[in-house]
Structures are given as C-alpha cells and as structure tokens.
C-alpha cells in the first residue's frame, strides 16, 4: 500500500539531468518516522548514480543522502523521536539487523543494507532520496540533530562528515601528534581537515594544483599544503605522514602518495572511484604500508560526528542553493568550483 504523495527532482536517464517528479511514499510502518525534508547535501555519489556509473541505476532516480528534516508523523512503536524533532538521514535506510555487522553497530557493512536511494525497500518499493519533499524511514536509521547545530550545517555531516570521521576515529586519543595527509579538498576533504585538526593532528592538504592553498591554510587551518604535481615538493615530504585520507572520487595514481607515508603508514580510501585504482606491490611492501578502505560510518558514528561538530563549535563551509539550481550545482561540483559543499534548501524550493 502507498502512503502520502511527495514531490522531488529525478534523473530519467544517463544524462543525469534532474527535473520535477511526483511519487507516492511507502506506507508508514509501526517503527517508521515521516519527515518533511528541509535540507539535503549534494554529493559526488549522487552524480555517479544519476549517470549510471556505479550501482546499476534504476530510473527515475531521486537522489540525496545527506537529509535534514522535521518529524511530521510517527509510527505507533517509535520511541526515539517526537513530532517536531529535527532529524537526519544518511546513506542507508535499512539492513538485516541480524548479521555480525548489524549486531556490532557496523550496519553499513551489512550485505543486505538498503541504500537511501536507488535501492529497494523491504516492501518492494523503490527507495528515493532527499531531493524530495518528504521521506519515510525506520527509526533505527534516523539520527537526532543537536540543538546547537544549524540544520543546513548538519546536512554535509550525514555522509561526507561521517565518511571522514569514521576512519579517523581510530586515531583519537593518540599520545603523540600525528602527521595527517588529506588528499583532495572537496566536500569530504574539507571536513576531513577540520576533523583531523580538531583531533589535534598536524594536517597537510595534498592537492593537484596550487589553487586551494590559501583556502586550505587560512580558511580551514591546515598546517601545510603539498602540490602533488610538484616533484620537488613531493620528494621533500617523502616518508613524513602517519596516514593519508584519500577523498578523490576520480581515477588517480597511488604510487606518489604512498611514498609520503612513514613505515607502517596508512592510506585510507573513502571515495567511490568509477574505475579501478592501480598500485605497485613494492610500494607497500618496502614501507610496511597499508591500503585500507572505509565506507561511510555506522548510525552510532553518524550521531557521534553531529555531537562532535556541535561540541567543538565547528563550521561546515557550504553554499546553499534552491532546487532549480541543482543541475548547475552538479556541473560546478564536477569542475570543483564550490567552497566546499552544496546544500539544497529543499523546503524553500518549488519542487513541482
């Protein structure tokens, strides 16, 4: 059975162009939260799926997985939230609840996880994301937005923020100042800089050009800036970093970045790259280096990053736009012409 009518913007084909679209939400279950969408972040993964570059897209596709909204209806067994609460929804809206990952608060690694969009709900209906007026989500996959956090500021934390926080959390409480590298200075990268600095790390931003040097050092507070195309700079920084958070969502060579790591250093890949990355085994063997991946974060970690952000008084660098600008926003994001994350003012937009 279908629920209330909703309005959003959807991609119809591999061009990825979004346009108005109406649909019915799934029926509200006993543990479901219905939220009016207020804001939604704009992510590279949205673009990949809009163009059918990953995950075999089913059209029409309503993207959006950094969703902030207001609770407008509750299922009869919901006990975590009240009407009017400000809440968030990230990259997943379901999992099996029974596997080891689910039982270990790592539901993002469940083999039966349900993505926020371009997936199928347990009732067989398609999942649709936050580029829409409303959503129905099981209470387990909804988080509370802290009172001290503005809703538009919270949106990027629900994917980009937790994607950086989850792998960096392992370094919290270190008894020495860690030398961190943040590769790429987009939505995830700029949040990675802020999180690593707030954890007390010495942060080097690594970028392919000098364009973002001033932003990295003066706006985000990074300690150093390294241009990866400058051989002399890269050679001078060899064997200097404890870890690198690789946030680049496009094909890039790993060899030069691995050379920056100390013995036992870690290269942590968090971006979905549409084509296979390549490496030379010697580059990791001779330095006892590790290449590892991390996928978003758990629901527990998603709540943690929101609280961390509020407690530390951190600020996301966002550009808020209306839905009728969304196609231009994706075009600018692809050219890396945004500081540093677009957020859609969904509630303030005409979606029809």
């Amino acid at each position: 059975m279908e629920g209330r009518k909703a309005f959003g913007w959807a991609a119809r084909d591999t061009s990825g162009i979004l346009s108005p679209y109406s649909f019915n939400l799934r029926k509200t279950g006993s543990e479901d939260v219905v939220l009016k969408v207020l804001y939604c972040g704009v992510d590279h993964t949205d673009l990949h799926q809009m163009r059918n570059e990953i995950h075999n897209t089913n059209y029409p596709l309503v993207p959006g997985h950094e969703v902030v909204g207001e609770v407008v209806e509750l299922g009869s067994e919901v006990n975590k939230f009240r009407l009017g609460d400000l809440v968030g929804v990230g990259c997943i809206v379901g999992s099996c609840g029974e596997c080891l990952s689910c039982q270990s608060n790592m539901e993002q690694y469940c083999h039966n996880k349900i993505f926020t969009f371009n997936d199928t709900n347990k009732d067989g209906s398609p999942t649709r994301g936050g580029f829409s007026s409303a959503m129905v989500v099981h209470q387990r996959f909804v988080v509370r937005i802290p009172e001290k956090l503005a809703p538009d500021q919270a949106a990027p934390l629900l994917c980009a923020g937790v994607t950086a926080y989850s792998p960096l959390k392992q370094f919290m409480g270190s008894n020495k100042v860690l030398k961190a590298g943040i590769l790429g200075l987009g939505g995830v990268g700029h949040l990675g800089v802020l999180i690593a600095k707030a954890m007390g790390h010495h942060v080097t931003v690594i970028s392919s050009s000098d364009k973002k040097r001033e932003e990295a050092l003066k706006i985000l507070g990074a300690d150093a800036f390294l241009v990866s195309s400058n051989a002399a700079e890269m050679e001078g920084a060899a064997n200097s970093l404890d870890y690198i958070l690789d946030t680049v969502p496009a094909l890039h060579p790993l060899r030069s970045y691995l050379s920056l790591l100390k013995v036992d250093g870690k290269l942590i890949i968090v971006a979905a790259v549409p084509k296979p990355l390549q490496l030379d085994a010697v580059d990791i063997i001779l330095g006892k280096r590790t290449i590892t991946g991390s996928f978003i974060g758990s629901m527990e970690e998603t709540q943690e990053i929101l609280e961390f952000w509020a407690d530390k008084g951190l600020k996301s660098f966002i550009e808020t736009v209306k839905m009728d600008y969304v196609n231009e926003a994706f075009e600018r994001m692809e050219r890396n012409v945004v500081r540093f994350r677009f957020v859609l003012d969904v509630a303030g937009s005409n979606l029809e």
Side-chain angles (χ1 to χ4, degrees), residues 173-322:
S174 173
N175 56 11
K176 65 172 185 174
V177 176
L178 293 175
K179 296 289 187 73
I182 306 294
L183 176 55
L185 202 59
V188 178
H190 98 276
L191 296 176
V193 172
L194 296 171
I195 292 166
K197 284 297 296 179
M199 290 179 176
H201 302 175
H202 178 282
V203 178
T204 297
V205 169
I206 309 161
S207 189
S208 58
S209 75
D210 215 29
K211 283 192 306 182
K212 294 188 176 180
R213 182 183 295 271
E214 187 170 341
E215 293 176 346
L217 299 176
K218 294 187 178 179
I219 297 174
L220 298 177
D223 301 287
F225 189 90
L226 193 55
V227 178
S228 58
S229 57
N230 186 317
E233 279 191 28
M234 292 291 281
E235 189 174 340
N239 306 302
S240 65
L241 302 177
D242 291 293
Y243 71 84
I244 295 171
L245 185 71
D246 183 348
T247 74
V248 177
L251 189 63
H252 55 289
L254 298 182
R255 182 169 215 169
S256 56
Y257 306 117
L258 288 167
S259 71
L260 300 174
L261 293 171
K262 297 176 182 177
V263 171
D264 243 353
K266 288 187 176 183
L267 176 66
I268 307 165
I269 298 173
V270 297
V273 180
K275 295 182 180 179
L277 297 171
Q278 293 185 327
L279 66 109
D280 188 331
V282 170
D283 294 328
I284 56 175
I285 292 169
L286 294 184
K288 199 189 173 190
R289 298 175 178 119
T290 302
I291 299 176
T292 185
S294 181
F295 178 59
I296 52 172
S298 66
M299 297 313 302
E300 185 175 68
E301 289 168 334
T302 305
Q303 190 66 61
E304 283 176 16
I305 181 59
L306 294 167
E307 303 293 347
F308 179 89
W309 212 253
D311 292 346
K312 298 283 186 182
L314 298 176
K315 180 185 177 185
S316 312
F317 288 84
I318 60 174
E319 182 176 338
T320 305
V321 297
K322 303 290 189 186

